[in-house]
Amino acid sequence: MSADFDVIVIGAGMSGMYQLHRLRDLGLRVRVFEAGDGVGGTWYWNRYPGARFDSESWTYGYSFSEEILAEWQWSEHFAAQPETLRYCNFVADKLDLRRDIEFGCRIAAAVYDEPAGEWDVTSQDGQRARARFLITAIGPLSAPTMPVIPGVGTFRGEAYHTARWPHEPVSFSGKRVGVIGTGATAVQAITEIAKTVGHLTVFQRTPNWCAPLHNSPIDAVTQARIKATYAETFARCRQSFGCFIHDADPRKALEVSAEEREAFFEQRYREPGFGIWMGNFRDVLVSEEANATITEFMRRKIRQRVKDVHLAEKLIPTNHGFGTRRVPLESGYYEVYNQPNVRLVDLRETPIERITESGVDTRGGHHPLDMLIYATGFDAVTGAFDRIDIRGRAGRRLRDKWADGPRTFLGLQVEGFPNLFTLVGPHNAATFCNIPRCIEQNVDWVTTLIAHMRERGHSRVEPTPAAEQEWLQHVHETGRRMLFTRVDSWMMGINTNVAGKQTRTFIVYAGGAPKYREKCDEVAAAGYAGFVFG
Ligand SMILES: Cc1cc2nc3c(=O)[nH]c(=O)nc-3n(C[C@H](O)[C@H](O)[C@H](O)COP(=O)(O)OP(=O)(O)OC[C@H]3O[C@@H](n4cnc5c(N)ncnc54)[C@H](O)[C@@H]3O)c2cc1C
């Protein structure tokens, strides 16, 4: 039996959409299966109040199409989710993508049929399809997690996970709302909800170091400049470590005087976006001493902004330095705690004991609520893989292969799983990136490899065990000097709400996008060294 398709892509977010477009250009028969009812991935699912970019909008959109760049206008420097979802739909219309996407279809299993050399894919409702190539575009932050707390599910009021937010408007007015979590999503949601809420209770386990976003509308003059300088902007992104317009300052933190350092931090704190994280002194994320200087600066900022001195101390992280976990960007987050109708519950002092029908019981007492919001994040990077039963040669499960941490070649292929490509997968630079910039690199590279195989009549590609081992060593080497590898976070594979994810394993790539691109290009230039074709 010949396969139904040449390529099956799972997921129709920014990765899957672009991958579909590129493969169609090769004249391949492609089918995309998407669990949601529309395109956009992250921007389809995360409709919670306050959801918006931390990337500058005009650096985030696709760069490959002059037409899309010319026609699309971002209204703000950091667009809110509805606008980004409109953008994804605009691209889908422009490229006529939907005719090859099956929506409302969650893939449950993908099994490699070795004799046929095909992937056999099964959806949750039993639908099946086959293809020579399988490309996962399932997202680094797409598998939401609920907290492991007794009584979850018993609450009788309104309850929402931020990544499964309803499509209808939700009102907070006059209501007692509780938010569990204080990560990047929670920081955005709390700030927005606080504007209209009756009473807000924030349940905080681990505070994060948050920095100002400084969003603003894009005026006509700036719009024209953005459009005229897209090529320069994308070139600048290509050269920076994380493909942002921000890149590290060439100086070390302790090389300059205390006054100069303070002035520099102030300047970064006043500027929009991730400059304070990605554009700081070049050693603040690798040297404890350098990191202590920015951490102290950020500590002072929190103390200045939160009026109640005891509350300010609760909001100051004590278990990690600035920038060693994902930095939430905020627009008035700390000032929320100056409102009389907002209460912070420090779960380190009074842990949650259970969720009840009427609210949350902590060791300090009962918190009656009308609405409970789980801002408890994602089973990051490998989570979406774990939710599909992926089996390669000889029935080997990907989940088992990755039980002690992911193993890949270039973060794009896995030994034992021929013709499977993992866009934005573990150990891929895209996990630590202004992601669409890395998505375009991932997709272009995979597309070129598939074209290469067609030209030479190859039907099968798989990395060698040696290439995979070498990549693993390189990935761990890139992480060794980074301070974030000494801290529990999703980047280190930790999720206390997921069984088996309590031990640190490095799941991202910390060598920077330019280095990663160089490595991928070297492999291709050497005739795909490290891969075996059949
Ligand atoms: C709230 C939020 C804000 C963010 N802000 C930024 C930002 O400012 N800058 C930045 O660079 N990145 C940001 N990100 C990261 C964001 O995920 C990426 O930028 C990008 O959207 C990833 O695109 P993707 O297509 O790879 O994955 P996703 O957008 O996650 O899409 C994956 C798709 O795969 C589908 N899928 C998964 N599993 C299955 C299955 N088994 N069967 C069928 N379909 C499946 C999902 O439904 C989803 O639609 C943010 C993430 C979140 C959650």
Side-chain angles (χ1 to χ4, degrees):
M1 188 184 94
S2 84
D4 306 332
F5 305 103
D6 297 313
V7 188
I8 287 174
V9 178
I10 312 176
M14 292 288 287
S15 300
M17 289 167 66
Y18 181 47
Q19 185 65 78
L20 168 60
H21 172 65
R22 288 295 323 266
L23 292 171
R24 259 192 200 162
D25 274 356
L26 289 186
L28 295 173
R29 291 168 306 152
V30 189
R31 193 73 179 155
V32 180
F33 294 106
E34 165 56 56
D37 289 328
V39 296
T42 289
W43 310 107
Y44 170 86
W45 294 105
N46 289 269
R47 295 165 190 250
Y48 61 85
R52 68 171 63 246
F53 280 145
D54 289 332
S55 295
E56 284 74 8
S57 312
W58 35 276
T59 69
Y60 185 94
Y62 293 117
S63 73
F64 69 88
S65 162
E66 293 294 337
E67 214 177 316
I68 290 171
L69 288 171
E71 287 181 25
W72 180 259
Q73 317 252 46
W74 292 106
S75 71
E76 293 180 279
H77 285 280
F78 300 89
Q81 171 272 333
E83 182 167 345
T84 310
L85 183 57
R86 277 199 300 281
Y87 171 77
C88 294
N89 279 292
F90 166 79
V91 173
D93 288 340
K94 193 89 207 145
L95 305 175
D96 189 20
L97 296 178
R98 285 191 201 79
R99 68 183 153 88
D100 289 320
I101 306 175
E102 194 156 331
F103 294 106
C105 181
R106 183 169 289 282
I107 299 303
V111 177
Y112 186 64
D113 175 346
E114 209 167 340
E118 290 169 2
W119 280 93
D120 187 340
V121 168
T122 310
S123 72
Q124 223 165 35
D125 56 10
Q127 199 184 322
R128 287 174 75 167
R130 293 171 79 88
R132 185 159 299 283
F133 294 98
L134 175 65
I135 302 183
T136 58
I138 51 184
L141 300 171
S142 66
T145 48
M146 292 290 278
V148 182
I149 301 172
V152 168
T154 60
F155 181 63
R156 287 274 182 85
E158 294 171 74
Y160 308 109
H161 190 290
T162 48
R164 290 293 177 269
W165 200 261
H167 292 201
E168 302 73 41
V170 174
S171 166
F172 309 103
S173 172
K175 292 180 187 165
R176 297 164 303 175
V177 177
V179 176
I180 299 182
T182 48
T185 284
V187 165
Q188 291 181 334
I190 287 165
T191 311
E192 196 58 31
I193 292 167
K195 291 176 184 166
T196 56
V197 75
H199 185 273
L200 179 63
T201 308
V202 176
F203 297 94
Q204 171 188 272
R205 191 178 54 185
T206 314
N208 280 292
W209 296 105
C210 310
L213 175 68
H214 296 304
N215 185 30
S216 60
I218 298 177
D219 60 41
V221 173
T222 312
Q223 188 75 257
R225 201 193 59 235
I226 287 171
K227 293 212 173 196
T229 53
Y230 266 130
E232 289 90 322
T233 300
F234 293 130
R236 197 168 144 200
C237 290
R238 269 174 76 83
Q239 283 155 17
S240 76
F241 186 90
C243 290
F244 284 88
I245 49 161
H246 314 281
D247 206 4
D249 189 279
R251 296 168 298 169
K252 289 184 171 181
L254 295 163
E255 251 168 41
V256 302
S257 68
E259 295 72 33
E260 219 176 314
R261 198 163 49 243
E262 182 75 6
F264 176 76
F265 289 157
E266 274 295 348
Q267 182 199 336
R268 286 287 178 263
Y269 199 78
R270 278 199 305 268
E271 286 169 357
F274 271 146
I276 194 146
W277 190 25
M278 305 279 177
N280 215 309
F281 292 116
R282 71 178 158 95
D283 57 346
V284 296
L285 302 181
V286 293
S287 145
E288 300 266 8
E289 294 71 32
N291 186 262
T293 64
I294 180 66
T295 299
E296 174 50 27
F297 175 85
M298 297 302 285
R299 200 178 286 132
R300 270 188 277 125
K301 284 292 175 197
I302 299 173
R303 287 179 182 147
Q304 282 162 16
R305 290 174 61 183
V306 179
K307 287 188 187 143
D308 179 322
V309 289
H310 299 294
L311 197 50
E313 293 313 305
K314 289 185 200 298
L315 288 161
I316 294 174
T318 50
N319 65 350
H320 66 284
F322 175 79
T324 60
R325 291 164 59 118
R326 162 73 154 81
V327 175
L329 292 181
E330 49 84 27
S331 308
Y333 176 66
Y334 289 113
E335 286 71 17
V336 162
Y337 294 97
N338 297 332
Q339 287 182 211
N341 62 339
V342 177
R343 177 169 181 195
L344 182 80
V345 175
D346 188 338
L347 300 180
R348 291 167 300 187
E349 289 171 4
T350 55
I352 295 181
E353 291 185 328
R354 73 184 58 77
I355 291 170
T356 69
E357 286 185 4
S358 59
V360 174
D361 280 350
T362 67
R363 211 172 280 168
H366 181 63
H367 299 268
L369 299 169
D370 302 307
M371 185 190 296
L372 185 52
I373 297 172
Y374 298 100
T376 41
F378 302 93
D379 185 356
V381 186
T382 51
F385 289 91
D386 290 344
R387 282 157 180 74
I388 305 175
D389 187 6
I390 301 176
R391 294 174 193 235
R393 279 192 289 109
R396 188 155 175 219
R397 281 166 172 240
L398 187 63
R399 217 178 291 161
D400 294 340
K401 171 153 181 165
W402 287 359
D404 297 325
R407 300 176 69 87
T408 75
F409 184 39
L410 304 175
L412 282 170
Q413 261 225 311
V414 186
E415 181 270 328
F417 297 79
N419 294 1
L420 168 70
F421 294 100
T422 55
L423 304 177
V424 199
H427 294 173
N428 182 315
T431 50
F432 204 81
C433 190
N434 179 15
I435 292 186
R437 303 281 63 76
C438 287
I439 285 174
E440 288 185 337
Q441 183 275 344
N442 273 202
V443 167
D444 290 345
W445 198 90
V446 167
T447 308
T448 308
L449 172 51
I450 291 176
H452 169 93
M453 290 174 67
R454 289 183 87 209
E455 279 161 22
R456 284 161 182 75
H458 298 312
S459 56
R460 190 174 154 280
V461 62
E462 185 186 336
T464 64
E468 195 173 81
Q469 182 59 27
E470 214 175 294
W471 185 251
L472 187 70
Q473 274 162 6
H474 169 65
V475 167
H476 283 276
E477 194 52 47
T478 66
R480 230 180 291 287
R481 47 195 284 276
M482 308 298 288
L483 292 176
F484 77 79
T485 58
R486 301 179 206 166
V487 171
D488 284 352
S489 78
W490 66 259
M491 294 189 277
M492 292 306 295
I494 297 284
N495 187 326
T496 50
N497 295 320
V498 180
K501 297 208 170 170
Q502 273 76 48
T503 316
R504 285 183 199 163
T505 38
F506 194 54
I507 58 170
V508 299
Y509 176 84
K515 173 89 168 168
Y516 175 80
R517 199 180 315 115
E518 195 183 296
K519 291 262 177 199
C520 289
D521 290 348
E522 269 170 27
V523 167
Y528 295 96
F531 286 100
V532 177
F533 292 97

